Amino acid sequence: MRNRLATETSPYLRQHADNPVDWYPWSEAAFCRARDEDKPVLLSVGYAACHWCHVMAHESFENSRIAGLMNERFISIKVDRQERPDIDDVYQKVPLMMGQGGGWPLTVFLTPQGEPFFGGTYFPPDDRYGRPGFVRLLLSLSDAWTHRRDELHDMVKQFQSEFRRLDQTDLRREAAEVEDLPAETARALARGTDPVHGGFGGAPKFPNASGYDLVLRIYHRTGEAALLEALERTLDSMAAGGIHDQLGGGFARYSVDERWGVPHFEKMLYDNGQLVALYANAYRLTGKPSWRRVFENTIAYILRDMTHPDGGFYAGEDADSEGAEGRFYVWTPAEVKAVLGDSEGARACLAYGVTDRGNFEHGTSVLHRAAALDALDEARLEDWRERLLAARTQRARPGRDDNILTGWNGLMIQGLCAAYQATGAVAYLAAARRAASAIEEKLTMPDGGVYRAWKDGVAKVPGFLEDYAFLANALIDLYESCFDKRYLDRAVELVALILDKFREDGLFFTPRDGEPLVHRPRAPHDSAWPSGISTSVFAFLRLHALTGLDFYRDIAEQEFDRYRAAAAAAPAGFPHLLAARDFAQRGPFEIILAGDKAAAAALVESVHRAYLPARVLAFAEDVPIGQGRHPVKGRPAAYVCRHRTCATPVTSGKALLERCAEGAGAKHPVRAQAGRPL
């Protein structure tokens, strides 16, 4: 018999619909039954592409003996963290408070009132890996609930106290003032970059798009060689590694080694959207052709494999296929030669590091750029890639999480806009506009707000701060790409809703009318994607620059002040907020275009191709600050303004970029076209 999860739209919950566990989705009905039967709640949180979630499901949740124990002694709730990041954020803190690492699957035990008293992540069915077995844990906690409940209530009180302490740590932390915290943080990130392979730390190694975006911004401002060296080492090493799908494009979630060589194969939309933007912006600054190939191949993957027919982007792809992690992606020399022939296959194996011994399981290899090629083989590499990719499409694909998530779509739209501005490829702009239309049509609430998720015709869960903030910035990017004022107007509406729904004493992650949890999270720290707070600050600052309304800037400054000490004490947790601080410190400067939009294409293109991280861009008739700006002698003109003071207008792209260089205060030259100095 299928359980209650069979009627859910979440792909992750549906994965557990055939478990013998009597699962509930997160609901009042589950907690009501727990209270009626005086049972503790077992909360399990994961997501559809989570490998270790699958492992724990196979080992424990599909085991009838363990499921029987869960059904007898607990009320079990399954949550998709992608639909309910608020629940995940609150309860993810439990294992952290206990001195453990966080992650997924998240396993937390609660009172019938939702109060946590114990938590962890993955538990094997029996004692293993130095971890207590799940069966022993279930028996122990059930016994404590029956016979030592006072001890558990003491744990509840400790967790409640810790929730309050964590908030106060962020809001009232004391730290020394730093004169230029964004620049000092970027320098620290560069010093902390692996000198051989790039990236931060050892194994496992994650892309950190927010961190290296800050490094890129500060390099543009200061021209410090060490910043560019750290960025180049990281972007080049990731692009050459197995974390980057050498055939199909796109990036896996992380690598299990420090060399970016062997990935954990799941691919997530949020990573790829941010990395497209990072590589595109780095390309705009440097003109490096290999970085353009990376973001173009990543976009090709998204448009080919991760796009709904109506235009929205799917959430992610699984690491597993045919019951094994990575099977879709790995190769043996014999498999390569079967596609390319013995001679070319041998050279391709050399290029991609495919050996008889292999670098993964069972003698298979994850493709990576393992050897420098001569000119002839380099020219053939694209042909080899296409033929191997065609052969790979015949394999069983990993499962796909086909939820459409508002916030993550916003990140992908931003990546597409950066790529469009860097290259002028109209297909990228068209894809961004289709995704924005899909969100508008499928995920808009009656009050103008947004839902979190959509699947199979059903929109669900009121959006969280990050959904509003990511989408607002994406729509500003869309406006600056095509100058359709509807996008800018909608961004203004979303920011107004942020202030109405999420702002009380500062910004919260959940709306004021959202479901009450045991703790209302703020979630100020950047994680795998930027925080909703830092992204909201960016939206406030950009709208201040475009509208001239000082209250946007004032709200942004209040959030800076709220987290200034926390960011100074632990800057690695706030790189996107510090990027916004850098944006504010630089001015920013406004580029106001006057005249016919079509006729101004050359002016627009010159600005789009240049990396100008502290500018906003608008046509005069679309924004209040455009008042009084006119064409010059019938020709479209551009006004570069800073602190509400505008330089004399210019009518050529070359002159416009010279003005931008003056306005940006940058040490790196502004380029008329990526890779081609003025």
Side-chain angles (χ1 to χ4, degrees):
M1 293 178 61
R2 309 195 83 195
N3 59 44
R4 295 174 189 83
L5 303 185
T7 59
E8 293 293 307
T9 58
S10 159
Y12 175 64
L13 298 188
R14 285 183 176 180
Q15 287 175 355
H16 295 269
D18 293 318
N19 293 169
V21 177
D22 187 18
W23 289 116
Y24 279 83
W26 181 272
S27 61
E28 177 56 28
F31 287 99
C32 183
R33 182 178 168 194
R35 291 190 292 270
D36 289 345
E37 299 184 9
D38 191 30
K39 290 181 178 179
V41 171
L42 192 167
L43 173 65
S44 176
V45 183
Y47 59 101
C50 169
H51 172 71
W52 285 100
C53 299
H54 301 332
V55 172
M56 190 166 178
H58 296 323
E59 291 177 339
S60 295
F61 304 147
E62 295 172 8
N63 182 302
S64 59
R65 179 176 66 91
I66 296 175
L69 187 59
M70 294 170 64
N71 296 340
E72 176 189 349
R73 304 193 183 201
F74 299 87
I75 301 301
S76 298
I77 297 177
K78 178 64 74 172
V79 167
D80 183 344
R81 63 161 305 227
Q82 294 174 182
E83 285 189 348
R84 294 300 304 266
D86 56 332
I87 296 170
D88 182 60
D89 184 271
V90 169
Y91 293 110
Q92 195 69 238
K93 293 182 172 67
V94 172
L96 296 177
M97 292 173 186
M98 296 175 65
Q100 308 174 36
W104 301 276
L106 176 65
T107 308
V108 182
F109 294 85
L110 317 174
T111 70
Q113 289 72 40
E115 304 156 324
F117 58 82
F118 187 87
T121 53
Y122 162 78
F123 291 97
D126 302 300
D127 295 1
R128 195 187 310 161
Y129 314 127
R131 301 179 65 83
F134 194 49
V135 171
R136 183 157 69 91
L137 185 67
L138 294 174
L139 292 171
S140 175
L141 292 176
S142 174
D143 179 73
W145 180 261
T146 302
H147 301 292
R148 302 188 308 280
R149 195 172 302 189
D150 287 347
E151 296 176 16
L152 299 186
H153 281 300
D154 287 342
M155 291 296 297
V156 166
K157 291 177 183 177
Q158 290 181 38
F159 284 124
Q160 289 171 335
S161 176
E162 280 295 298
F163 281 130
R164 291 191 293 270
R165 187 190 66 79
L166 286 174
D167 271 354
Q168 296 309 311
T169 297
D170 282 333
L171 297 175
R172 297 182 181 174
R173 185 195 298 261
E174 294 184 3
E177 287 291 322
V178 179
E179 182 177 350
D180 188 349
L181 186 56
E184 288 303 311
T185 301
R187 293 172 186 131
L189 293 174
R191 290 193 298 271
T193 294
D194 183 331
V196 178
H197 305 292
F200 303 131
K205 185 172 280 186
F206 292 78
N208 190 314
S210 292
Y212 284 104
D213 171 71
L214 180 62
V215 170
L216 178 64
R217 288 169 181 270
I218 301 303
Y219 169 66
H220 175 265
R221 172 152 65 89
T222 68
E224 296 171 28
L227 300 176
L228 181 61
E229 289 167 4
L231 180 73
E232 285 188 313
R233 191 179 312 116
T234 300
L235 296 190
D236 286 345
S237 297
M238 285 200 304
I243 192 173
H244 179 215
D245 182 351
Q246 300 294 326
L247 301 184
F251 287 84
R253 180 70 197 91
Y254 62 88
S255 68
V256 301
D257 59 89
E258 74 282 0
R259 303 183 309 278
W260 308 107
V262 176
H264 180 49
F265 294 89
E266 67 187 59
K267 289 179 174 179
M268 306 306 295
L269 182 65
Y270 57 79
D271 283 318
N272 286 283
Q274 292 178 89
L275 289 170
V276 165
L278 179 60
Y279 276 93
N281 286 330
Y283 169 70
R284 281 201 273 188
L285 184 63
T286 65
K288 192 167 182 175
S290 61
W291 290 351
R292 176 169 178 164
R293 287 194 294 272
V294 171
F295 72 75
E296 290 192 325
N297 286 341
T298 301
I299 293 172
Y301 156 67
I302 294 295
L303 299 185
R304 181 185 65 241
D305 297 331
M306 295 290 286
T307 303
H308 186 278
D310 293 338
F313 304 116
Y314 300 129
E317 281 196 304
D318 208 328
D320 299 8
S321 58
E322 299 181 288
E325 183 183 7
R327 178 170 292 180
F328 180 73
Y329 296 99
V330 297
W331 295 79
T332 64
E335 288 171 331
V336 173
K337 292 174 183 177
V339 176
L340 301 179
D342 287 346
S343 177
E344 286 189 280
R347 294 201 298 275
C349 285
L350 180 65
Y352 284 126
V354 181
T355 65
D356 290 327
R357 182 178 179 181
N359 61 14
F360 191 56
E361 299 171 351
H362 312 301
T364 61
S365 294
V366 180
L367 303 189
H368 58 284
R369 291 299 301 272
L373 303 179
D374 60 30
L376 180 60
D377 279 352
E378 190 68 49
R380 289 174 172 166
L381 189 67
E382 182 62 20
D383 175 62
W384 296 343
R385 187 189 71 82
E386 290 180 357
R387 289 159 64 188
L388 291 170
L389 178 62
R392 196 180 75 178
T393 61
Q394 305 305 309
R395 298 177 177 180
R397 286 197 66 85
R400 183 172 62 197
D401 181 346
D402 52 1
N403 256 326
I404 307 295
L405 303 177
T406 296
W408 296 6
N409 270 252
L411 291 174
M412 193 67 236
I413 290 170
Q414 287 198 276
L416 287 165
C417 287
Y420 166 71
Q421 292 183 25
T423 64
V426 294
Y428 301 159
L429 177 61
R433 298 189 70 166
R434 288 186 71 230
S437 294
I439 293 171
E440 186 72 18
E441 293 167 7
K442 303 177 188 304
L443 285 144
T444 302
M445 300 171 69
D447 68 352
V450 293
Y451 290 103
R452 169 69 175 179
W454 179 93
K455 186 181 184 300
D456 296 339
V458 177
K460 61 189 298 189
V461 184
F464 302 100
L465 178 61
E466 64 183 33
D467 296 301
Y468 286 77
F470 292 166
L471 182 58
N473 279 280
L475 294 175
I476 296 172
D477 285 353
L478 262 177
Y479 169 74
E480 292 185 335
S481 296
C482 67
F483 306 104
D484 184 335
K485 189 171 180 291
R486 293 176 301 169
Y487 296 129
L488 183 57
D489 291 342
R490 178 60 173 150
V492 171
E493 290 177 1
L494 290 169
V495 168
L497 287 165
I498 287 174
L499 300 178
D500 178 58
K501 289 175 176 283
F502 298 93
R503 184 171 179 256
E504 293 182 27
D505 176 22
L507 293 170
F508 285 86
F509 186 79
T510 55
R512 69 175 75 242
D513 59 351
E515 178 185 353
L517 302 175
V518 294
H519 173 71
R520 189 181 182 192
R522 292 182 186 266
H525 300 90
D526 297 328
S527 57
W529 56 86
S531 78
I533 289 175
S534 62
T535 309
S536 296
V537 168
F538 250 117
F540 300 153
L541 292 171
R542 296 174 79 184
L543 290 186
H544 168 248
L546 288 166
T547 66
L549 297 176
D550 287 343
F551 81 90
Y552 287 127
R553 180 199 59 205
D554 294 343
I555 296 167
E557 288 295 336
Q558 289 170 19
E559 292 303 311
F560 283 135
D561 289 343
R562 196 178 309 279
Y563 295 103
R564 185 187 311 275
F574 296 88
H576 200 56
L577 186 67
L578 295 176
R581 175 81 274 177
D582 178 66
F583 181 89
Q585 285 177 189
R586 294 216 224 178
F589 67 98
E590 302 93 23
I591 302 171
I592 308 300
L593 302 170
D596 179 77
K597 291 183 177 180
L603 289 172
V604 170
E605 182 176 324
S606 66
V607 175
H608 277 175
R609 298 297 186 276
Y611 178 63
L612 299 168
R615 60 91 170 145
V616 293
L617 177 64
F619 271 84
E621 66 265 30
D622 294 337
V623 291
I625 62 171
Q627 187 174 1
R629 311 302 170 201
H630 304 288
V632 174
K633 296 180 180 180
R635 297 179 63 188
Y639 296 78
V640 177
C641 311
R642 199 159 181 260
H643 304 306
R644 300 293 174 257
T645 301
C646 299
T648 55
V650 296
T651 57
S652 75
K654 183 175 186 293
L656 173 55
L657 288 182
E658 289 172 349
R659 285 283 160 78
C660 289
E662 296 167 5
K667 295 295 180 65
H668 192 285
V670 176
R671 297 174 183 268
Q673 183 176 347
R676 187 178 302 166
L678 286 168

